[in-house]
Amino acid sequence: MPHSARIYDYWLGGKDNFAVDRAVGDAMIKAIPGMRYMAAENRKFVHRVARDLVEKEQIRQFLDVGTGIPTRPNLHEIAQRIAPETRVVYVDNDPIVLVHARALMISTEQGRSEYISADLRASESILNDKVLRDTLDFGRPVGLTLIAILMLIADEDDPWSKVDALRDAMPPGSLLAITHPTADFAPDEVNAAVAAATTAGMTLVARPEADVRRFFGDWELLEPGLVPVSNWRPDEPVDNPEAAYYWAGVARKP
């Protein structure tokens, strides 16, 4: 079966994917010619978030749910370049991700990088994991990242409640970073890509701005708010922020 992590790896030019992943990936590229660009912009957002949360918000521990196949630099590498003592726990449910994560996600001596196999659809399996509890200190703020993962949970499975459970477990001062695909900018292209994924047996949901905003609950969005992914604190001006069909934002727990 095609898997989102391997399709994403294919779009980013990786080699850890199968023919079935490439077939779905190509079908989605046919629907959205800029798909590889979108994947790259999503990855750049991760780098900017890791940098800003460590530098400006003094975050020293992260929980990254929906890690995907490692693509360097990884979140912990960005964070540990600035603060070597940073600790990161990665979460995914694909055995291929597990193999590569354990081989490639090597921490600094001062910090720690761990990987756990768990599913966002069962939030308690993440929160109760012994490795997570041994690695992160829930007496201090955590950077919780949900990058291009919520699209894989259908509305009827209530992804908002899954995120609510994670948010509720985070200590005050924690920050939540989310990216989510949307049809708000190019409905015909995105709907065709969703149809291609659905035909292949995958769940893929593109959500409007209001539905993405709900994932943040009552947390306070940092500047510049919920914006197209390319427009979240870009390192240089972006000609067309809506060329990457993702909403993105970071919010702080009171």
Side-chain angles (χ1 to χ4, degrees), residues 8-9 12-14 16 40 43-44 46-47 67-78 80-81 90 99-108 113:
Y8 195 77
D9 174 74
L12 291 174
D16 298 300
R43 194 67 193 166
K44 290 178 184 177
V46 175
H47 298 163
T67 299
I69 293 170
T71 303
R72 285 181 166 163
N74 299 300
L75 187 153
H76 75 279
E77 291 172 320
I78 297 289
Q80 290 178 347
R81 285 176 190 171
Y90 293 102
V99 171
H100 287 275
R102 288 181 173 167
L104 297 176
M105 291 183 173
I106 307 302
S107 173
T108 58
S113 175

Coordinates of all heavy atoms in Angstrom, one line a residue, residues 8-9 12-14 16 40 43-44 46-47 67-78 80-81 90 99-108 113:
Y8 N 6.1 11.4 0.3 CA 6.7 12.6 0.6 C 8.2 12.5 0.3 O 8.9 13.4 -0.2 CB 6.5 13.0 2.0 CG 6.8 14.4 2.4 CD1 5.9 15.4 2.1 CD2 7.9 14.7 3.2 CE1 6.2 16.7 2.5 CE2 8.2 16.0 3.6 CZ 7.3 17.0 3.2 OH 7.6 18.3 3.6
D9 N 8.8 11.4 0.7 CA 10.2 11.1 0.4 C 10.5 11.2 -1.1 O 11.5 11.8 -1.5 CB 10.6 9.7 1.0 CG 12.0 9.3 0.6 OD1 13.0 9.9 1.2 OD2 12.2 8.5 -0.3
L12 N 10.6 14.7 -2.4 CA 11.8 15.4 -2.0 C 13.0 14.9 -2.6 O 14.1 15.4 -2.3 CB 11.9 15.4 -0.4 CG 10.9 16.2 0.4 CD1 11.1 16.0 1.8 CD2 11.0 17.7 0.0
G13 N 12.9 13.9 -3.5 CA 14.0 13.4 -4.2 C 14.7 12.2 -3.5 O 15.8 11.8 -3.9
G14 N 14.1 11.6 -2.5 CA 14.7 10.5 -1.7 C 14.5 9.2 -2.5 O 13.9 9.1 -3.5
D16 N 13.9 6.2 -0.6 CA 13.2 5.2 0.3 C 11.7 5.1 0.0 O 10.9 5.5 0.8 CB 13.5 5.6 1.7 CG 15.0 5.6 2.0 OD1 15.6 4.5 1.8 OD2 15.5 6.6 2.4
A40 N 8.9 21.0 -0.5 CA 10.1 21.7 -0.1 C 9.8 22.9 0.8 O 10.5 23.1 1.8 CB 10.9 22.1 -1.4
R43 N 9.0 21.7 4.2 CA 10.2 21.4 4.9 C 11.0 22.6 5.4 O 11.5 22.6 6.5 CB 11.1 20.5 4.0 CG 12.2 19.8 4.7 CD 11.7 18.7 5.6 NE 12.7 18.2 6.5 CZ 12.5 17.5 7.5 NH1 11.2 17.1 7.8 NH2 13.4 17.0 8.3
K44 N 11.0 23.6 4.6 CA 11.6 24.9 5.0 C 11.0 25.5 6.2 O 11.6 26.1 7.1 CB 11.6 25.9 3.9 CG 12.5 25.6 2.7 CD 12.4 26.6 1.6 CE 13.2 26.3 0.4 NZ 13.0 27.3 -0.7
V46 N 9.6 23.8 8.6 CA 10.1 23.0 9.8 C 11.4 23.6 10.3 O 11.7 23.8 11.5 CB 10.3 21.6 9.4 CG1 10.9 20.8 10.6 CG2 9.0 20.9 9.1
H47 N 12.3 23.9 9.3 CA 13.6 24.5 9.7 C 13.5 25.9 10.4 O 14.1 26.1 11.4 CB 14.5 24.6 8.5 CG 14.8 23.3 7.8 ND1 15.3 23.2 6.5 CD2 14.7 22.0 8.2 CE1 15.4 22.0 6.2 NE2 15.1 21.2 7.2
T67 N 6.7 12.1 11.8 CA 8.1 12.5 11.4 C 8.4 12.3 9.9 O 9.0 13.2 9.3 CB 9.1 11.7 12.2 OG1 8.9 12.0 13.6 CG2 10.5 12.0 11.8
G68 N 8.0 11.2 9.4 CA 8.4 10.9 8.0 C 9.8 10.4 7.9 O 10.5 10.3 8.9
I69 N 10.2 10.0 6.7 CA 11.5 9.5 6.5 C 12.5 10.6 6.7 O 12.3 11.7 6.1 CB 11.6 8.8 5.1 CG1 10.8 7.6 5.1 CG2 13.1 8.5 4.7 CD1 10.6 7.0 3.7
P70 N 13.6 10.4 7.4 CA 14.5 11.5 7.7 C 15.1 12.2 6.4 O 15.5 11.5 5.5 CB 15.6 10.9 8.5 CG 15.0 9.7 9.1 CD 14.0 9.2 8.1
T71 N 15.0 13.5 6.4 CA 15.6 14.3 5.4 C 16.4 15.4 6.0 O 15.9 16.3 6.7 CB 14.5 15.0 4.5 OG1 13.6 14.0 4.0 CG2 15.0 15.8 3.4
R72 N 17.7 15.4 5.8 CA 18.6 16.3 6.5 C 18.6 17.7 5.8 O 18.5 17.8 4.6 CB 20.0 15.7 6.4 CG 20.2 14.6 7.4 CD 21.6 14.0 7.4 NE 21.8 13.2 8.6 CZ 22.8 12.3 8.8 NH1 23.7 12.1 7.8 NH2 22.9 11.6 9.9
P73 N 18.7 18.7 6.7 CA 18.8 18.6 8.2 C 17.5 18.3 8.8 O 16.4 18.8 8.4 CB 19.3 20.0 8.6 CG 18.8 20.9 7.5 CD 18.8 20.1 6.3
N74 N 17.5 17.4 9.8 CA 16.3 17.1 10.6 C 16.1 18.2 11.7 O 16.9 19.0 12.0 CB 16.5 15.7 11.2 CG 16.7 14.6 10.2 OD1 15.8 14.4 9.4 ND2 17.8 14.0 10.3
L75 N 14.9 18.1 12.3 CA 14.5 19.1 13.3 C 15.6 19.2 14.4 O 16.0 20.2 14.8 CB 13.1 18.8 13.8 CG 12.5 19.8 14.8 CD1 11.0 19.7 14.7 CD2 12.9 19.5 16.2
H76 N 16.0 18.0 14.9 CA 16.9 18.0 16.0 C 18.3 18.6 15.6 O 19.0 19.2 16.4 CB 17.1 16.6 16.6 CG 17.9 15.7 15.8 ND1 17.5 15.0 14.8 CD2 19.2 15.3 16.0 CE1 18.4 14.2 14.3 NE2 19.5 14.4 15.0
E77 N 18.7 18.4 14.3 CA 20.0 18.9 13.9 C 19.9 20.5 13.9 O 20.9 21.1 14.3 CB 20.3 18.4 12.5 CG 20.6 16.9 12.6 CD 20.8 16.3 11.2 OE1 20.0 16.6 10.3 OE2 21.7 15.4 11.0
I78 N 18.8 21.0 13.4 CA 18.7 22.5 13.4 C 18.7 23.0 14.8 O 19.4 24.0 15.2 CB 17.3 22.9 12.7 CG1 17.3 22.5 11.2 CG2 17.1 24.4 12.9 CD1 18.2 23.2 10.3
Q80 N 19.8 21.6 17.6 CA 21.0 21.3 18.4 C 22.2 22.1 17.9 O 23.2 22.3 18.6 CB 21.3 19.8 18.4 CG 20.3 19.0 19.2 CD 20.6 17.5 19.2 OE1 21.4 17.0 18.4 NE2 19.9 16.8 20.1
R81 N 22.1 22.6 16.7 CA 23.2 23.6 16.2 C 23.2 24.8 17.1 O 24.2 25.4 17.3 CB 23.0 23.9 14.8 CG 23.3 22.9 13.8 CD 22.9 23.3 12.4 NE 23.0 22.2 11.4 CZ 22.6 22.3 10.1 NH1 22.0 23.5 9.7 NH2 22.7 21.3 9.3
Y90 N 10.8 11.9 18.2 CA 10.1 11.7 16.9 C 9.1 10.6 17.0 O 9.3 9.6 17.6 CB 11.1 11.4 15.8 CG 12.0 12.5 15.4 CD1 13.4 12.4 15.9 CD2 11.7 13.6 14.7 CE1 14.3 13.4 15.6 CE2 12.6 14.6 14.3 CZ 13.9 14.5 14.8 OH 14.8 15.5 14.5
V99 N 13.3 2.3 10.8 CA 14.6 1.9 10.5 C 15.6 3.1 10.2 O 16.7 3.2 10.7 CB 14.6 0.9 9.3 CG1 16.0 0.6 8.8 CG2 13.9 -0.4 9.7
H100 N 15.1 4.0 9.4 CA 15.9 5.1 9.0 C 16.1 6.1 10.1 O 17.2 6.7 10.3 CB 15.3 5.8 7.8 CG 15.5 5.0 6.5 ND1 16.6 5.1 5.8 CD2 14.7 4.2 5.9 CE1 16.5 4.3 4.7 NE2 15.3 3.7 4.8
A101 N 15.1 6.3 10.9 CA 15.2 7.2 12.1 C 16.3 6.8 13.0 O 17.1 7.6 13.5 CB 13.8 7.4 12.8
R102 N 16.3 5.5 13.4 CA 17.2 5.0 14.3 C 18.6 5.0 13.8 O 19.6 5.2 14.5 CB 16.8 3.6 14.8 CG 15.6 3.6 15.7 CD 15.2 2.3 16.1 NE 14.1 2.4 17.1 CZ 13.4 1.3 17.5 NH1 13.6 0.1 17.1 NH2 12.4 1.5 18.4
A103 N 18.8 5.0 12.5 CA 20.1 5.0 11.9 C 20.6 6.4 11.7 O 21.8 6.6 11.8 CB 20.1 4.3 10.5
L104 N 19.7 7.3 11.4 CA 20.2 8.7 11.0 C 20.0 9.8 12.0 O 20.6 10.8 11.9 CB 19.5 9.1 9.7 CG 19.7 8.2 8.4 CD1 18.9 8.6 7.3 CD2 21.2 8.2 8.1
M105 N 19.1 9.6 12.9 CA 18.7 10.7 13.8 C 19.6 10.6 15.1 O 19.2 10.3 16.2 CB 17.3 10.7 14.2 CG 16.4 11.0 13.0 SD 14.6 11.1 13.4 CE 14.0 11.7 11.8
I106 N 20.9 10.9 14.8 CA 21.9 10.9 15.9 C 22.0 12.2 16.6 O 22.2 13.2 16.0 CB 23.3 10.5 15.3 CG1 23.1 9.2 14.5 CG2 24.3 10.3 16.4 CD1 22.6 8.0 15.2
S107 N 21.9 12.2 17.9 CA 21.9 13.4 18.7 C 23.3 13.8 19.1 O 24.3 13.1 18.9 CB 21.1 13.1 20.0 OG 21.3 14.2 20.9
T108 N 23.4 15.1 19.5 CA 24.7 15.5 20.1 C 24.8 14.8 21.5 O 23.9 14.2 22.0 CB 24.6 17.0 20.4 OG1 23.5 17.3 21.3 CG2 24.5 17.9 19.2
S113 N 18.1 12.4 21.1 CA 17.1 12.3 20.0 C 16.6 10.8 20.0 O 17.4 9.9 19.9 CB 17.8 12.5 18.6 OG 17.0 12.3 17.6

